[in-house]
Amino acid sequence: MGMIETEREKRQAWAQLLRPFFMLADLVYPPSCAACGVSTGGHRGLCAKCWSEVRFIERPYCEVLGFPFSHDLGAGILSAEAIANPPPFDRLRSAAVHDNAIRTLVHGLKYRDRTDLAPMMAGWMLRASDGMVECCDAIVPVPLHRTRMVSRKFNQAAELARHLARLAGKPLLPATLLRAKRTSQQVGLGIRAREENVRGAFIIAANRENDVFGKRIVLVDDVYTTGATVGAATRTLRKAGAADITVLTFARALAETI
């Protein structure tokens, strides 16, 4: 008990010590909505208007594809798509629908170098993971090709995975799954074209098969659209012996928002 009290006292002392610096930071960089930029009461949050636009994906949904249902049909119900075309992964979970403020957050991280958004986004993903992160063996981000890393400067999926691993206390495997083939941008391509574009794009790094063999893996990406990219990545992980694969994304594009 004494040790717990000592640790608590240390944290409180540090908080008091750092408080003037946080106040100064708020003066220089006033808290603002992460999506629209209006003033807010704290950092890494949304204003009331943007928050009201967020459509979180919660049950009832398809237990495999995570597609939300309008009515609760009972536990374990699958969508027609999951039955007719079972995906290569075991399940898909996403935090929110890819529209309005959520789209702005995704674009901010991906195209405007807003890496400061990643901790908040990862926290939402952890909540949406349905316990799969807590029981996984490792977290793997969908990789970028090395030439795209040069122009993009960072991999948004890896940023989300890094903060997710930190929040959950799970191993992060950022160099196990590699993108060996440079692919065209998926934006604007149809489903079949997307699948062909990423066919054979991923490999397991040399001598890293044991990282995933027999393991429960959480595969992380920023947005799920048609599933072509995570499908190709999943097949590579399966070939290396992964026992269970959960795809976890921050956003999910539904039919009306693709």
Side-chain angles (χ1 to χ4, degrees):
M1 186 68 178
M3 184 177 295
I4 295 175
E5 290 295 330
T6 301
E7 289 300 319
R8 185 180 296 119
E9 289 170 0
K10 285 182 180 179
R11 288 195 296 269
Q12 290 174 346
W14 269 108
Q16 289 295 324
L17 183 64
L18 294 174
R19 187 176 180 184
F21 296 97
F22 291 141
M23 294 175 65
L24 178 61
D26 285 348
L27 288 174
V28 178
Y29 302 104
S32 61
C33 174
C36 72
V38 303
S39 296
T40 58
H43 293 284
R44 294 180 181 172
L46 301 181
C47 67
K49 179 179 181 298
C50 289
W51 182 261
S52 68
E53 295 174 351
V54 176
R55 290 193 287 164
F56 288 105
I57 298 177
E58 299 176 320
R59 281 193 168 85
Y61 51 59
C62 170
E63 290 299 318
V64 172
L65 288 176
F67 188 89
F69 294 141
S70 57
H71 299 89
D72 191 348
L73 303 175
I77 297 298
L78 303 184
S79 62
E81 176 67 18
I83 295 171
N85 299 294
F89 45 81
D90 293 280
R91 67 197 63 80
L92 164 69
R93 298 292 182 264
S94 303
V97 176
H98 187 241
D99 61 7
N100 302 318
I102 295 299
R103 181 186 288 113
T104 301
L105 294 177
V106 169
H107 288 187
L109 174 63
K110 190 170 185 175
Y111 301 119
R112 294 194 290 275
D113 299 343
R114 290 289 309 276
T115 54
D116 59 293
L117 299 175
M120 178 186 73
M121 296 165 72
W124 293 8
M125 293 168 69
L126 180 59
R127 174 181 174 273
S129 71
D130 198 24
M132 293 300 107
V133 172
E134 286 87 347
C135 68
C136 79
D137 295 307
I139 297 172
V140 176
V142 171
L144 287 178
H145 190 267
R146 61 182 181 277
T147 57
R148 186 150 292 155
M149 278 289 289
V150 173
S151 60
R152 192 75 66 77
K153 292 183 285 190
F154 70 96
N155 177 5
Q156 70 278 1
E159 277 296 294
L160 294 171
R162 180 168 68 88
H163 288 286
L164 189 66
R166 178 183 58 80
L167 288 171
K170 292 293 181 175
L172 174 65
L173 303 177
T176 297
L177 182 66
L178 305 178
R179 191 180 292 240
K181 183 177 84 171
R182 179 170 184 176
T183 55
S184 303
Q185 291 281 358
Q186 295 279 69
V187 177
L189 297 179
I191 295 176
R192 295 289 174 253
R194 284 171 178 252
E195 291 175 350
E196 189 60 35
N197 188 38
V198 294
R199 191 184 305 279
F202 301 100
I203 61 171
I204 298 296
N207 303 316
R208 300 298 292 268
E209 291 82 3
N210 286 339
D211 288 355
V212 299
F213 185 81
K215 304 292 178 57
R216 295 165 296 181
I217 301 296
V218 170
L219 180 65
V220 171
D221 207 358
D222 56 346
V223 183
Y224 181 93
T225 49
T226 65
T229 300
V230 295
T234 295
R235 291 184 185 93
T236 300
L237 292 170
R238 284 278 192 226
K239 189 175 180 180
D244 185 272
I245 301 171
T246 296
V247 172
L248 179 61
T249 69
F250 175 68
R252 164 77 182 265
L254 298 182
E256 70 272 18
T257 59
I258 289 179

